[in-house]
Amino acid sequence: MTFKVPRGTQDILPGQSEKWQKIEGVMRHLSNLYRYAEIRTPMFESTELFQRGVGDTTDIVQKEMYTFEDRGGRSLTLRPEGTASIARSYVEHKMFGYPDQPVKVSYLGPMFRYERSQKGRYRQFVQFGVEAIGSKDPAVDAEVIELAMRIYQECGLKDLKLVINSLGDKEVRLAHRDALIKHFEPHIGEFCSDCQNRLEKNPLRILDCKVDAKNPLLGSAPKLTDYLNEESAAYFNQVKNYLDVLGIDYEVDPNLVRGLDYYNHTAFEIMSTSEGFGAITTLCGGGRYNGLVEDLGGPETPGIGFGMSIERLLLALEAEQVELDVDNQLDIYIVAMNEAAKEKAVELTSSFRAKGISADIDYANRKMKAQMKSADRLQAKFVIVLGETELEEMQANVKEMATGTQEQVPFHDLVNYLQSHK
Ligand code: HAM
C-alpha cells in the first residue's frame, strides 16, 4: 500500500523550501519595517467564530470549512482565514485598551478550505496577512495596501494590478441590498439553490457565487458605488488620495465585493497581469471591517487588513519567470581519503560551522572521485582534499571551484581564510 498527500495539499521539498524561506523572510522584514508585530493564534477555533465573523451565507462557511467535533463534543473548525481569529484575540486580550491604536499585527501560517483543488487553489495553503485594528484613518488603508504591494515588488514581481472599491457603510449596504433584491427577485428561479437562499439573507453574496458567475444578471446588478452616501464617498476619496500621495496606481472596480461578510468601506485585491498566470489571478485580498470586533463581543472598533498566500505568489513568480535570489550556498566541502583524514574532516567541519561557514562531508565512505562529484553537485564554493600529506603538513590545498584557483592554507588559518573569501 502506498500513500499520497491528501488532495489539495502538497509537500514542500528541499530545493523548493528555500524559496518559501526567502519569501517568508521578505514578509517578516517588511512587517517589521511597517511595525506589524507577529501574532500567532491557534490553527483551530470554535466553529461559531467563523460563522459569525466570516458570515453564515459565505461560500467559506457554507461549503469550505473543515469542521469536526472534538472528544469533548465541541464543534471546532480549522481556520479558513486569519482575520476572525485576530479580532477574537483583540477582544479576548482587551487590546482595545492599549494606549497605542491601531494595534498592528501580522501572521503567517496554514489556512484550510475545502475548495475544488486546481492551480492556485489548495485545501491547505499558507497565508501571510496583516491587520491594523483600532483606527479609521484612511492613511492606514493606504499603508496596508502599500505594504502588500511592496512585498510583491521586493520579491521581483512587476505585472501587478491593484483593484479597489468601496463597499460603503451600513446605511449604504442596506440601500444597496434592497436594490439587489429588487433586481434578482423576478429571475431568482434561474439561480442555484444557494443563491435562492441568499436572496433574502444576503443578496450581495450572489455577486460572487462561483456557480452563477456567468449569469448576465450579475453584470447588470446595481453597483454599490452608485449608492455611496456622502460620508462613504468622502472616505473612499481620501483613501484614493493617499494612494496617489504614495504613487500607487489603482483601478476602481465597482464589481469588487469580496467573498467575506465582514467588509465595509475599502475593499481591494491585487492581481497578476502576467500572461503565463492561470485562471485565478488574485494574489491578495483585503479590506476594512469596521463592525467585526463589535460583532465578536468587543467595543465598536474599526479595522483593516489583507491576506495573501505564498502559493499564489510563487505561481506569479513562475509566470513572470522571476528567479528568487535564494541564499543557500555551501561554503566548503571536505573530501577525506582515509579514516584518519575523515576524523580531521569531522573536526574541521564542526569548527567551520561554529564560525558561520557552511560545510559538508561525505557520509557514505565513497572514493575520492565520487566525493568530488558530490562537491560539484552541491555547488560548493571551496573544496579541500585531506590525505596523508595534508595531515602530516597540517595544511590543505583550498580549491575555489568556480575559478579553479588553489592555495595552500595551514589548518589553523582555514577559518580566517574562508571567512575572508566566502
Ligand atoms: P481571501 O480573499 O479569502 O481573504 O483570501 C486572501 C488570499 O488568500 C487570496 O487572495 C489568496 O492569495 C489566498 N487564498 C485564499 N484561498 C486560497 C486557496 N484555496 N489556495 C491558495 N491561496 C488561497 C481573506 O482570507 C481575508 N482574511 C483577508 C483579510 C485580512 N481581509 C482583511 N484582513
Side-chain angles (χ1 to χ4, degrees):
M1 171 134 192
T2 57
F3 293 100
K4 288 194 164 158
V5 290
R7 183 183 267 273
T9 68
Q10 58 177 338
D11 295 323
I12 316 292
L13 302 179
Q16 191 68 9
S17 56
E18 292 80 3
K19 293 185 188 170
W20 284 70
Q21 289 179 354
K22 174 78 189 181
I23 293 169
E24 288 161 5
V26 168
M27 290 166 165
R28 294 209 155 96
H29 173 67
L30 286 172
S31 338
N32 191 28
L33 276 185
Y34 282 71
R35 311 311 291 163
Y36 287 76
E38 193 189 4
I39 183 167
R40 299 186 189 198
T41 59
M43 241 168 275
F44 54 82
E45 299 263 4
S46 80
T47 302
E48 213 186 331
L49 172 70
F50 300 114
Q51 288 168 336
R52 267 186 192 226
V54 175
D56 252 340
T57 51
T58 57
D59 268 0
I60 293 181
V61 169
Q62 288 199 334
K63 302 180 187 166
E64 297 169 2
M65 295 208 301
Y66 282 92
T67 297
F68 59 97
E69 203 173 273
D70 75 0
R71 288 171 191 271
R74 301 167 198 90
S75 178
L76 298 171
T77 293
L78 296 183
R79 61 180 185 195
E81 61 106 49
T83 315
S85 305
I86 285 156
R88 190 242 341 113
S89 181
Y90 183 87
V91 176
E92 184 168 343
H93 299 283
K94 300 191 172 54
M95 293 188 214
F96 43 80
Y98 288 8
D100 289 311
Q101 301 287 329
V103 173
K104 303 203 295 186
V105 293
S106 60
Y107 51 96
L108 176 69
M111 308 287 163
F112 307 86
R113 295 185 193 179
Y114 189 81
E115 295 202 77
R116 206 161 57 83
S117 64
Q118 63 187 102
K119 200 174 168 192
R121 192 169 271 163
Y122 296 88
R123 293 185 173 169
Q124 174 178 326
F125 56 97
V126 173
Q127 210 188 48
F128 168 81
V130 305
E131 312 292 346
I133 309 187
S135 165
K136 54 175 195 261
D137 185 337
V140 180
D141 303 38
E143 173 179 285
V144 161
I145 292 173
E146 184 188 53
L147 171 53
M149 293 294 285
R150 201 154 275 177
I151 288 171
Y152 293 127
Q153 286 155 354
E154 193 95 341
C155 289
L157 289 177
K158 293 200 173 69
D159 301 342
L160 300 166
K161 181 169 82 173
L162 167 67
V163 181
I164 58 170
N165 190 23
S166 170
L167 305 179
D169 56 17
K170 252 191 199 144
E171 184 188 291
V172 174
R173 296 286 284 273
L174 280 177
H176 181 240
R177 182 195 139 89
D178 288 347
L180 284 177
I181 294 179
K182 275 202 194 98
H183 176 77
F184 286 119
E185 205 164 24
H187 313 277
I188 196 65
E190 299 166 23
F191 286 79
C192 72
S193 57
D194 285 325
C195 283
Q196 297 186 6
N197 283 328
R198 287 166 174 147
L199 181 69
E200 283 300 327
K201 283 196 197 147
N202 193 354
L204 192 68
R205 289 279 74 89
I206 298 178
L207 297 181
D208 56 39
C209 175
K210 286 175 191 133
V211 180
D212 289 314
K214 292 210 168 84
N215 191 313
L217 282 170
L218 298 193
S220 60
K223 310 259 180 284
L224 249 165
T225 13
D226 293 333
Y227 290 79
L228 289 191
N229 52 22
E230 218 175 288
E231 209 188 319
S232 300
Y235 191 87
F236 194 34
N237 281 334
Q238 280 175 296
V239 173
K240 288 189 280 189
N241 183 47
Y242 276 119
L243 290 175
D244 293 339
V245 168
L246 295 175
I248 298 173
D249 289 335
Y250 54 83
E251 218 172 78
V252 176
D253 178 359
N255 290 320
L256 179 75
V257 293
R258 310 272 304 125
L260 302 90
D261 272 354
Y262 47 63
Y263 290 115
N264 42 53
H265 291 289
T266 317
F268 66 94
E269 288 188 353
I270 300 170
M271 342 275 278
S272 168
T273 55
S274 179
E275 270 183 25
F277 210 76
I280 302 167
T281 55
T282 303
L283 301 178
C284 168
R288 239 184 205 285
Y289 44 85
N290 289 353
L292 180 61
V293 168
E294 206 180 345
D295 284 347
L296 300 179
E300 198 184 324
T301 313
I304 179 161
F306 68 74
M308 56 169 67
S309 67
I310 296 189
E311 287 81 353
R312 289 205 193 153
L313 202 168
L314 281 165
L315 282 178
L317 289 169
E318 205 181 291
E320 286 194 36
Q321 295 174 334
V322 177
E323 275 301 322
L324 282 175
D325 170 26
V326 294
D327 176 23
N328 185 31
Q329 183 180 279
L330 171 59
D331 296 322
I332 184 160
Y333 191 92
I334 306 179
V335 175
M337 309 255 285
N338 56 40
E339 191 43 45
K342 171 79 178 284
E343 255 176 47
K344 190 70 194 169
V346 167
E347 183 197 321
L348 284 175
T349 310
S350 169
S351 64
F352 292 156
R353 291 169 178 164
K355 296 290 180 193
I357 298 160
S358 62
D360 218 347
I361 51 172
D362 169 68
Y363 289 117
N365 290 320
R366 289 172 306 173
K367 299 247 166 2
M368 175 177 160
K369 210 170 150 197
Q371 293 187 43
M372 288 302 286
K373 274 196 182 152
S374 281
D376 237 4
R377 265 195 308 273
L378 298 169
Q379 296 179 315
K381 182 150 200 265
F382 295 102
V383 173
I384 56 179
V385 179
L386 299 183
E388 267 171 42
T389 324
E390 286 75 15
L391 294 191
E392 253 165 47
E393 295 176 358
M394 299 281 281
Q395 61 175 1
N397 186 17
V398 183
K399 181 174 177 188
E400 184 168 8
M401 299 298 271
T403 58
T405 50
Q406 304 192 23
E407 216 169 311
Q408 287 292 336
V409 182
F411 285 165
H412 63 85
D413 241 9
L414 277 171
V415 165
N416 271 344
Y417 180 87
L418 293 171
Q419 270 175 339
S420 55
H421 289 79
K422 80 179 181 120

